[in-house]
Amino acid sequence: MLKKPEMILIDVDGTLVDSVPDLAYCANEMMKRLGMPEPGEPKVREWVGNGVERLVRRTLIGQLDGEPDDALFDKAYPIYLELYAENTSKRSKRYPGVKEGLEYLKQAGYRLGCVTNKAEQFTVPLLKALGLYDYFEIVVSGDTLPKKKPDPLPLLHVAEFFGVKPEQALMIGDSVSDVTAARAAGFQIVCMSYGYNHGIDIRDANPDAVIDSMAELPDLLKQAARGAA
């Protein structure tokens, strides 16, 4: 049973935004420029979730685990960054229910922060382009702090920013990285069923709850409030 939180942190890719269409476009274009086979969107969808650098490495070797040749990566990475800077939000979309969920959280008075592994240079333009940026009092990107998820540091940083104890905080994400970070920080964790978790059902990671849409948050949090009464 969830406890009613005072603060809610929300992930970006796979939680608020389906960013794979842009990420896959850039992966395909990068490989085309390198004269290598394009992976296609379905494969990229299984590789995302740990930041752009990790995605480039996976694209170059065509699989989830392993490392490409250093020289090849050094050639490919700047190409991808250039492409993604121009294609951060051209094809990306908010998931259904996101706007309704955020509106409810804002009206209900929850303190809202955004914590993502995406670099700031891509995070802020994406959130602004999709009308999501102004919902958050703080945005912590993958390069804001010395460590990123699954390390608990970004979550604890925001808890300190708001002056909220970890046990009074909730993380909303979509991957095992989010679950690991939340557990290590002492946060509650709710996951989206539709996100990026390398093809593995997020229920296997045992979050506190799994929902299919952020439009389900009002009922979930009202139940939590009733449980605390």
Side-chain angles (χ1 to χ4, degrees):
M1 184 73 174
L2 281 176
K3 293 183 293 181
K4 186 176 186 291
E6 291 184 15
M7 171 192 85
I8 298 176
L9 306 190
I10 309 179
D11 174 55
V12 176
D13 298 308
T15 302
L16 294 171
V17 180
D18 183 7
S19 50
V20 164
D22 280 310
L23 293 165
Y25 170 82
C26 296
N28 286 333
E29 286 297 307
M30 176 189 76
M31 295 297 272
K32 201 183 292 182
R33 291 190 192 182
L34 294 169
M36 297 174 70
E38 300 169 39
E41 187 172 311
K43 284 188 178 177
V44 172
R45 194 166 283 280
E46 292 189 3
W47 297 338
V48 299
N50 303 103
V52 164
E53 180 185 334
R54 193 70 237 154
L55 174 59
V56 171
R57 292 181 182 277
R58 287 168 175 162
T59 301
L60 292 172
I61 60 174
Q63 60 188 41
L64 198 61
D65 298 315
E67 292 294 334
D69 175 75
D70 286 345
L72 178 61
F73 174 78
D74 290 344
K75 184 179 179 184
Y77 193 44
I79 296 173
Y80 194 95
L81 293 179
E82 177 195 337
L83 285 163
Y84 196 46
E86 295 294 320
N87 294 275
T88 307
S89 59
K90 286 183 179 177
R91 301 157 192 83
S92 298
K93 298 277 193 298
R94 294 192 308 261
Y95 285 106
V98 162
K99 201 81 169 177
E100 297 92 322
L102 288 173
E103 279 295 328
Y104 168 78
L105 296 176
K106 190 175 183 181
Q107 295 302 322
Y110 288 100
R111 310 297 298 275
L112 297 180
C114 179
V115 175
T116 176
N117 281 351
K118 187 187 288 292
E120 184 179 354
Q121 71 184 100
F122 305 126
T123 300
V124 173
L126 178 62
L127 292 175
K128 287 184 175 178
L130 296 182
L132 300 174
Y133 184 77
D134 291 337
Y135 285 102
F136 300 106
E137 294 180 59
I138 182 173
V139 174
V140 176
S141 303
D143 51 358
T144 304
L145 301 167
K147 294 178 180 177
K148 56 188 177 184
K149 299 178 297 184
D151 193 277
L153 177 64
L155 283 66
L156 295 171
H157 174 81
V158 181
E160 189 175 339
F161 172 84
F162 283 129
V164 170
K165 295 175 182 176
E167 57 267 28
Q168 298 169 320
L170 170 67
M171 176 82 202
I172 301 175
D174 68 299
S175 71
V176 68
S177 175
D178 294 313
V179 176
T180 303
R183 294 295 184 220
F187 282 36
Q188 298 182 96
I189 173 74
V190 170
C191 285
M192 311 310 301
S193 63
Y194 52 66
Y196 309 149
N197 194 40
H198 314 310
I200 300 165
D201 190 332
I202 192 58
R203 291 171 182 83
D204 293 347
N206 295 314
D208 295 303
V210 177
I211 55 177
D212 299 322
S213 164
M214 284 183 64
E216 295 176 33
L217 284 172
D219 285 346
L220 192 70
L221 291 168
K222 285 170 188 171
Q223 283 177 15
R226 283 197 295 271

